[in-house]
Amino acid sequence: MRIGFFTNTYLPINYGSTVSVETFRKSLEKLGEEVFVFAPQYEDYDDKNESVFRYPSIMYNYKGKYPIAIPFYPPINKKIKELKLDIIHAHQPFSLGREGLRLAKKHSIPIIFTHHTRYEDYVHYVPMLPESVLANLVKKEATRFANQCDLVIAPSESIKQMIISRGVKTQVKVLPTGIEADKFQSGRRKKIRKKFHIEESENLLLNVGRIEEEKNISFLFECAAGIMKKNKKTKLMFVGGGSLKETIKEKAAKMKIKNRVIFAGLVDREEIQDYFAAGDVYLQASTSETQGLSLYEAMASGLPCVAVESTGSMDAVDSGKDGILVKENKKQFQSAVEDLIQDGSKRKRLSKEAAKKARKNDVVHQAKKLQQYYWKVIQEKQLKKKFAPL
């Protein structure tokens, strides 16, 4: 099978959707499928994979660097004909997702769409229109796009119900991104703690992801800071980058905890398991997640998680069994984290259950499911062509 992934976010950017795209690409290729990736050009980045095709793009510099692809690129239009794709998989409903849909219609190729993100939670990156207006527009556009596809994939049950409630009529299947459980259970804890001067007697609170508004980072930092002020043996590490980094640094300095707030920066995916292994409790305050991929990775690493109850986290965490879910309340969040810091036996119990659950979300198993969805959509499209009225 020859599969075309159309995505607006791809390497070297390591957002959750990029991780999902790469995880499924590698897994599908291991199953014998051919996967071609169509993505925006990122300045000064060269692909090692010859099956990646880049659209010319404009670098958008607002709250970080982000390439915006210029669709309708003749060389790629020609390449689509040559590749004779069996199916197109759009990973966003805008820009290159829209281009993927256009090409699918033009060449009578079946198309599926993964609704990776709650797009309305990201409208603050586009300052031209009021956020409320833009939020409604993106929700309507995502729904309209989904209804033009042959199948929609939701990364969690909560997202499936959300998009159906918004008017998606196309069939929706739930398929979280799989986790390489063995990889995340072999992280080198001592390596990272030594690198950042973290004593084994110290508790490390960890967050992996963008340091941005949509991740509710200010709330997370304020909760962690309250804990650190009471517990001198506790540190906080952010793994990732973002526009709120300097603001957090300034706040930490004013609170006299600057030396215990660590910014590890962007980390190579091949080393990320070492950072999870270095932590003692994983924190997630985001209310914009669709599947909580970093939560699954933390759980695979045996890290007990404290997360704000929201889409994504509710699907990943069974509160009290393999992690803790709380309302978006500082007192509740801090109390849950402090409880895990102080109660070692509870931390070990949650850790064991979290790792057990993560093993069920195996990457190969999920890729096989996706493979089956592809074949079903292709066969249904062929039947429609065969029996279409003349």
Side-chain angles (χ1 to χ4, degrees):
M1 186 175 2
R2 297 166 75 81
I3 306 154
F5 279 2
F6 280 74
T7 178
N8 296 324
T9 55
Y10 196 56
L11 301 173
I13 296 171
N14 267 318
Y15 294 170
S17 56
T18 304
V19 173
S20 180
V21 167
E22 273 297 272
T23 299
F24 276 120
R25 179 189 70 78
K26 290 176 182 177
S27 301
L28 287 165
E29 287 178 350
K30 285 179 182 177
L31 292 173
E33 310 296 5
E34 292 182 87
V35 183
F36 304 92
V37 180
F38 300 86
Q41 181 67 49
Y42 196 97
E43 58 186 22
D44 301 322
Y45 182 79
D46 294 318
D47 293 295
K48 295 175 184 177
N49 183 357
E50 292 182 357
S51 294
V52 175
F53 303 97
R54 299 279 186 169
Y55 281 81
S57 64
I58 299 168
M59 195 58 69
Y60 184 68
N61 286 296
Y62 180 72
K63 296 187 178 182
K65 295 173 70 175
Y66 186 84
I68 305 295
I70 302 171
F72 309 110
Y73 185 47
I76 289 185
N77 290 345
K78 183 181 178 183
K79 181 60 67 176
I80 294 293
K81 288 183 182 179
E82 294 172 1
L83 290 175
K84 296 182 179 179
L85 297 175
D86 294 300
I87 194 162
I88 285 175
H89 189 159
H91 290 274
Q92 289 86 21
F94 316 108
S95 189
L96 291 188
R98 176 63 54 186
E99 178 66 356
L101 177 62
R102 185 186 72 82
L103 291 167
K105 287 182 174 181
K106 180 178 180 181
H107 298 287
S108 298
I109 303 169
I111 180 170
I112 74 170
F113 162 49
T114 294
H115 200 293
H116 284 288
T117 305
R118 285 176 30 161
Y119 302 103
E120 65 273 17
D121 292 327
Y122 293 78
V123 295
H124 56 274
Y125 285 103
V126 185
M128 284 81 83
L129 288 171
E131 288 187 15
S132 59
V133 173
L134 199 52
N136 285 328
L137 286 174
V138 297
K139 284 190 282 189
K140 287 178 181 178
E141 177 56 25
T143 300
R144 194 168 73 89
F145 182 89
N147 284 331
Q148 294 179 79
C149 296
D150 299 296
L151 178 70
V152 176
I153 291 177
S156 64
E157 181 63 32
S158 57
I159 293 301
K160 174 182 176 178
Q161 297 307 319
M162 183 193 79
I163 63 178
I164 288 174
S165 71
R166 290 179 179 179
V168 171
K169 304 299 182 186
T170 303
Q171 184 183 20
V172 182
K173 294 284 188 179
V174 175
L175 185 66
T177 303
I179 297 294
E180 296 175 272
D182 291 342
K183 170 184 173 180
F184 285 96
Q185 289 168 9
S186 61
R188 294 167 291 182
R189 178 181 175 88
K190 290 182 180 178
K191 174 188 172 184
I192 302 303
R193 290 179 82 98
K194 182 179 179 181
K195 178 179 179 181
F196 291 99
H197 310 291
I198 304 162
E199 299 294 332
E200 195 54 41
S201 61
E202 293 178 312
N203 301 295
L204 182 62
L205 309 179
L206 182 72
N207 176 262
V208 177
R210 295 195 303 284
I211 307 172
E212 294 289 0
E213 182 182 328
E214 69 274 6
K215 299 297 182 181
N216 206 8
I217 288 297
S218 293
F219 173 88
L220 185 149
F221 170 73
E222 287 166 15
C223 291
I227 295 165
M228 287 190 286
K229 290 201 81 174
K230 286 193 283 183
N231 189 327
K232 305 300 180 185
K233 284 284 189 179
T234 301
K235 290 182 175 178
L236 170 66
M237 178 185 282
F238 290 104
V239 180
S243 63
L244 292 182
K245 177 181 174 180
E246 293 307 316
T247 301
I248 298 298
K249 274 187 174 181
E250 290 171 10
K251 287 182 179 180
K254 287 179 181 177
M255 298 174 79
K256 301 189 186 328
I257 56 170
K258 183 179 179 180
N259 294 336
R260 290 190 285 140
V261 180
I262 303 163
F263 294 90
L266 297 172
V267 171
D268 192 296
R269 285 296 301 174
E270 298 306 312
E271 298 180 351
I272 193 66
Q273 69 274 13
D274 297 335
Y275 288 82
F276 279 110
D280 294 298
V281 181
Y282 189 77
L283 310 183
Q284 179 160 296
S286 174
T287 58
S288 65
E289 301 304 307
T290 53
Q291 64 175 318
L293 187 55
S294 64
L295 276 176
Y296 279 114
E297 292 175 342
M299 293 168 72
S301 304
L303 256 186
C305 306
V306 176
V308 170
E309 190 177 282
S310 182
T311 55
S313 64
M314 291 189 298
D315 298 275
V317 176
D318 186 353
S319 191
K321 182 179 179 181
D322 48 42
I324 304 293
L325 293 178
V326 297
K327 299 294 182 183
E328 193 178 355
N329 176 284
K330 289 178 187 177
K331 188 175 180 180
Q332 287 183 26
F333 197 96
Q334 285 181 213
S335 178
V337 176
E338 288 170 338
D339 185 36
L340 287 182
I341 289 174
Q342 294 162 9
D343 191 340
S345 60
K346 182 176 182 179
R347 200 164 65 237
K348 286 179 182 177
R349 176 173 57 81
L350 294 181
S351 172
K352 184 179 178 181
E353 290 298 322
K356 190 189 294 185
K357 177 186 276 186
R359 283 195 291 273
K360 295 178 183 178
N361 194 29
D362 179 70
V363 63
V364 176
H365 177 70
Q366 299 301 77
K368 284 181 178 178
K369 277 189 177 179
L370 182 58
Q371 191 182 40
Q372 291 168 4
Y373 295 155
Y374 286 156
W375 280 121
K376 187 178 179 184
V377 168
I378 290 168
Q379 289 167 0
E380 287 175 351
K381 195 85 168 180
Q382 288 172 343
L383 282 172
K384 283 181 182 178
K385 281 184 184 178
K386 184 177 180 180
F387 294 104
L390 296 175

